[in-house]
Each structure stands twice: as structure tokens, then as C-alpha cells.
Amino acid sequence: MRSTVFSVLLAAASCLAEPTIFPANKATNVNPDTHLILTFPSPPKIGTSGLIRIYDAADKKLVDTLDMSISPSPNPSGRAPNANGQTKQPGPADPNDNSKYQVTMIAGVDFHFFPIIVRNNTATVYPHHGALKYGHSYTVKMDPTVLTPAAGAFSGFTTDTAWTFTTKAASPTNSSRIVVAADGSGDFNTVQGAIDFVPSSSSKRITIFIKNGFYEELVYMKGKNNIIIRGESRDKVIVGYPNNSAFNPPKSGPSRRPAFTITQCKSVQLSSFTINNYFVGQAEALLVRGEKVVLDHMTLSGSGDAFTTYGSIYFADSKLTGHGDTVLGYGAVFYLRSEIHSIGPFTWTRTPAGQHGNVFVNSSLISINEPLPWTVTEARPTGQDSKSTFARLPRNGGPTGVSNFPNAEMVLINVKTSGVPPEGWGPIQSAPFDTSNVHFWEYNTMDLDGKPVDMSKRHPVSKQLKLPTDGKTIADYSNPKFVLGWEPVIVGP
């Protein structure tokens, strides 16, 4: 009899698929921005019921709750379908948006977010931003229905001792160089945690150094100056998030659809890491609204409007990939020795009066011969193609269609191209739109082998610069100080 009971218990135990956890049970010296990570023997499935609760171990006070019955977003797949199954431009957010869906606050801005993201066998739990503090011990409780492994059963964490950890006593003492490490070995586990620690409008230079790792998180940096964010290596520091205008629909205040946002900032340098947005549609990898922003040896990958720009930006030795209007350009941006890969138009250039626009020098613009990804559906598996023109100025806004960007500027100097149609530019709105101040200019445009391209069918609004007639113009636009109004300086490691 005892043997039979033991066999039954042993069989039941063998059916369990208990995960390894991070932070480990009874861990100490944990950064309070930590995620909760569970690694199973097989890929787990996220449940639609159950709670994750975090308690202060000292007084048993509940400090955070994630309710899995609440949807992350009105469009958690990142697709807002219309009648033909394509992703459409979503309407304004529901007035009850924040009470019906998951919401976390970052720098005073409300974002929809995923309480759990699963990659392969690992489930990462995201406590609400800022919920955990220094100098506290916490108990994690998780209902078994929160996660279901592909094989075996998950018993959850239901006692006061199954998963506990204690955070560091205090924040870092070295405020000039901050280290981010996903494994908890740095000052912070997340990029956002490090950014939050940096004081607003700092007068001294602060470096955030990111160790190699995968950082799946929304990043929103507001009102920070004199910051360098540097990765340990460009291809092994991956910062990104699945986000777009369907997942975080438009509402008053700032745009919430980028994976990484820099806004109201000055003298910021990003160096040697990758930023990804994992959704398609209007889905920036990076939105910049700031002055004297430098991108150096960066890799950006987004979808529509993959790089949205305001202010003044120096973009050097970097790579950008997107899916049409890959650069949504309101800013003055000087691209040097960089690559832009695009499905559809490389830019929608919206230069305001009184400043310069998108200037590409010794760079490459390479078309991706694929359909726009948000147009690919079960009903239309081939999707919709779009020409990879340099810039477009279609009819935009207003019932009469006369509202547009009459000062749009995009200048190409010694640029190599691939897959660009013979007209090069467009579509461009015709009369009554006045294009006399539009600067769509090229000098020495080449194919990838360095051979001159045929310019005979270029759009009539564009202009081909020539020597010696346009020598001063070519020299001016080859100078980043002329374009940006300041001399870029890249600070090395």
C-alpha cells in the first residue's frame, strides 16, 4: 500500500513543470527595477485568468497586482483590422481606455503594456513601473492559471516562502557612470530604470553603460540632458518592445507608439546598440524630439515611421530599417556613412520653415523588395507593394487637399542606391500645392557598385546638382554644422 501511494506521488511530481526563477528565492541585493523571470522545461502559454501579487514581506501589504483577465490593450496583437483584414489607422483611444486595459505609468505617461511576455521557454513578468523600492523584502504569489507549460503542470507560487527576495538598500552612489545588466549584476536591470535615476536637465555628463543582453522594455526618456547611452556591443545589446498605434492608440499628450522615445532632451548620444520595434504598422523603433542628439554606430529596426524626428540629430555610421515612410522627418538630420533599408518610401519629409531637413552624405538607400507587412493577410497573402522613392509629398490634410509641407527638404550627396524607381521622388501633390521651396536635390547618386544612375526620368520637382555651378551648395550641405547649426562631437568610450 505504501509503495502504491509513493508511486502515485512520484508520478504526480514527475508531471510538474516547475520553472527556475529570477530573482532566485531568498535572493538579496536585487535591483528594484527587476523583472520576474520564469524559465520552464517547455514553452509556457499565457493564461487569461489568475493573479500575480507582490507583497511587502515585512507588513504583508499588497504593493502590486497583475490581473491576467485584463487585456493588455484594445489591440493586443498590434493589428486593428478593417473590413479586408489589413491593419488600419486606429481611431482615438476609448475614454475608458485606462480602466479596461493594462496600464503602466512611465515618466508620467500612461502606456498599455504586456504583463507577461513569453520568448521560447522563458516567461518575463513585468511589475508595474516603479512598484518596487529600495530596502524592502518582497513575496511573490502567482496563481497556477497564469502560465501553462506545453508539457507538465505549473503549481504556481502560493505560500509566503516559495518566492521571496530583498532589494538593495539604496540607489547607486556613482551618478556619473551607471551600469545596466539584465542579469542583475549592474546598478539597474533595465534601461528605463537607469534613465529614471538620472536627474532632469543635468549639467554634467552622465554615461549609462548597457551590458550585452536582451532588454525587452518600453523606454521613455523625457527632460534629460547631457546623457550618453552606450552599449557594450552593437549587435549584442538589444533594446526593444512590441508597440504601435494599434497597441497604444492615439490620445492627448505624447505619442505612445515607439519602442524607444527621447523627448524634450538636449545633448544626448546613443552609441553601439540595437533598438527594435517588434510590431508592424505605425511602429517607431525610435522617436526623437530634442536638440543636439547624436546616434553613433546604432542599429534601428521598426515598421512605418521607423525613425520619427524633431529637432536636430546627427546620425553617423548607423543602420535603419523600416516599412515605408521609414523616416518621418520633421527634424534637421545629417546622415553620414549610414544605411537606410526600406519597404516603400524612404522618407515622408515634413520640414518646417526656417530649418534644414534630411541630408544624406556618403550613405546608402536600399529598397527591400517585399510587400508592406501590415497589408499581408490570409485574404491577401501577397500583400501590397509600394515604390521605394526617396521622399513623398502626397495630398495631406484638409478637405481641399492644399495643406502640405512646402519647405520639405531632402538632399542626397554621394549616395548609393538600390531598387529606387527611375523617377526617384514622389508622389508629390500638384497644383494648388506650391513646390517652389521644396528642396529635393541630388548630387552624384550611384548604384551600389558606384556607377552613376540614370537621372533622365527624375521627378520634375527634384533637382540634380552639378559642379561647378552648384559647388557651394554641395559643400554647404556636406557640412553637418551648416545643416544642424552645431558641430557634432562623438564622445568615445
Side-chain angles (χ1 to χ4, degrees):
M1 181 67 178
R2 288 182 179 178
S3 175
T4 301
V5 171
F6 179 77
S7 298
V8 170
L9 292 174
L10 184 62
S14 67
C15 291
L16 293 177
E18 297 305 324
T20 58
I21 56 175
F22 175 87
N25 189 31
K26 300 181 181 179
T28 59
N29 215 35
V30 174
N31 291 317
D33 65 328
T34 188
H35 300 146
L36 308 179
I37 301 173
L38 302 88
T39 302
F40 290 84
S42 60
K45 182 179 179 180
I46 299 172
T48 56
S49 66
L51 301 176
I52 302 167
R53 290 161 290 183
I54 304 176
Y55 295 87
D56 191 305
D59 58 10
K60 312 299 183 185
K61 180 181 178 181
L62 181 65
V63 298
D64 197 21
T65 300
L66 297 169
D67 185 343
M68 300 309 298
S69 69
I70 299 174
S71 176
S73 156
N75 299 292
S77 68
R79 307 274 287 207
N82 60 14
N84 64 7
Q86 295 185 18
T87 296
K88 67 178 181 179
Q89 169 67 31
D94 186 323
N96 299 314
D97 193 60
N98 284 6
S99 60
K100 294 170 66 174
Y101 307 107
Q102 301 280 0
V103 172
T104 195
M105 301 295 295
I106 305 175
V109 179
D110 52 327
F111 290 90
H112 295 309
F113 77 111
F114 291 100
I116 302 178
I117 294 177
V118 170
R119 302 290 182 195
N120 299 317
N121 291 8
T122 298
T124 301
V125 177
Y126 294 79
H128 286 93
H129 185 69
L132 307 183
K133 308 299 181 184
Y134 287 101
H136 286 257
S137 293
Y138 294 101
T139 298
V140 179
K141 293 189 176 181
M142 186 179 301
D143 293 338
T145 54
V146 167
L147 290 164
T148 303
F154 173 50
S155 60
F157 297 91
T158 57
T159 70
D160 290 342
T161 58
W163 193 356
T164 66
F165 61 88
T166 301
T167 57
K168 290 179 177 177
S171 59
T173 56
N174 182 357
S175 60
S176 62
R177 187 177 188 274
I178 303 160
V179 177
V180 177
D183 64 3
S185 61
D187 300 308
F188 295 92
N189 290 27
T190 66
V191 178
Q192 188 64 50
I195 289 171
D196 290 344
F197 175 71
V198 172
S200 297
S201 304
S202 175
S203 59
K204 69 174 185 177
R205 181 181 297 154
I206 297 170
T207 296
I208 296 174
F209 179 75
I210 311 173
K211 288 187 176 182
N212 289 342
F214 183 66
Y215 300 85
E216 191 157 15
E217 55 176 299
L218 281 167
V219 178
Y220 188 82
M221 184 166 74
K222 178 181 179 182
K224 310 286 185 175
N225 298 342
N226 296 313
I227 295 181
I228 298 171
I229 304 179
R230 187 185 308 281
E232 183 176 359
S233 61
R234 179 172 175 175
D235 297 329
K236 294 182 180 180
V237 175
I238 312 295
V239 181
Y241 201 76
N243 195 22
N244 64 9
S245 59
F247 186 78
N248 269 293
K251 62 173 72 174
S252 61
S255 174
R256 294 160 172 82
R257 69 193 195 192
F260 197 123
T261 298
I262 297 172
T263 186
Q264 299 176 31
C265 296
K266 184 177 181 180
S267 299
V268 172
Q269 178 177 316
L270 307 184
S271 290
S272 301
F273 65 98
T274 294
I275 301 174
N276 292 331
N277 193 323
Y278 302 113
F279 274 167
V280 300
Q282 289 180 304
E284 287 97 337
L286 177 64
L287 181 151
V288 174
R289 188 186 295 269
E291 299 295 337
K292 297 187 177 180
V293 177
V294 171
L295 278 73
D296 161 53
H297 288 88
M298 291 290 295
T299 299
L300 310 180
S301 182
S303 190
D305 309 334
F307 183 35
T308 295
T309 67
Y310 300 83
S312 57
I313 304 162
Y314 183 65
F315 190 100
D317 300 296
S318 295
K319 180 180 178 180
L320 167 65
T321 301
H323 302 151
D325 298 338
T326 291
V327 175
L328 182 59
Y330 294 89
V333 187
F334 191 91
Y335 298 84
L336 180 65
R337 298 184 302 271
S338 292
E339 291 184 15
I340 314 297
H341 297 249
S342 183
I343 300 174
F346 290 94
T347 77
W348 190 346
T349 296
R350 299 180 169 190
T351 315
Q355 68 167 63
H356 291 294
N358 293 309
V359 177
F360 294 82
V361 177
N362 299 333
S363 294
S364 299
L365 301 179
I366 300 170
S367 172
I368 302 172
N369 186 23
E370 296 177 9
L372 297 168
W374 58 86
T375 68
V376 177
T377 66
E378 290 185 9
R380 191 181 185 184
T382 58
Q384 175 185 327
D385 293 328
S386 180
K387 290 183 178 181
S388 292
T389 53
F390 297 132
R392 68 187 187 104
L393 281 177
R395 182 174 68 86
N396 185 70
T400 61
V402 298
S403 176
N404 212 313
F405 302 94
N407 300 287
E409 180 175 83
M410 181 170 174
V411 180
L412 312 181
I413 297 175
N414 298 326
V415 167
K416 293 182 177 181
T417 65
S418 174
V420 175
E423 66 271 24
W425 308 82
I428 299 173
Q429 183 184 355
S430 55
F433 176 48
D434 180 5
T435 60
S436 60
N437 288 321
V438 171
H439 293 173
F440 285 170
W441 298 345
E442 299 175 67
Y443 170 70
N444 191 32
T445 303
M446 301 166 277
D447 64 18
L448 294 183
D449 294 324
K451 299 176 181 178
V453 301
D454 180 6
M455 310 291 279
S456 63
K457 296 182 180 180
R458 282 298 196 249
H459 195 288
V461 170
S462 68
K463 177 182 177 181
Q464 289 74 55
L465 303 177
K466 299 177 181 179
L467 290 174
T469 307
D470 301 304
K472 184 178 186 307
T473 298
I474 294 167
D476 283 344
Y477 279 89
S478 298
N479 180 359
K481 186 174 182 180
F482 173 82
V483 175
L484 303 174
W486 47 277
E487 189 72 56
V489 175
I490 295 175
V491 179

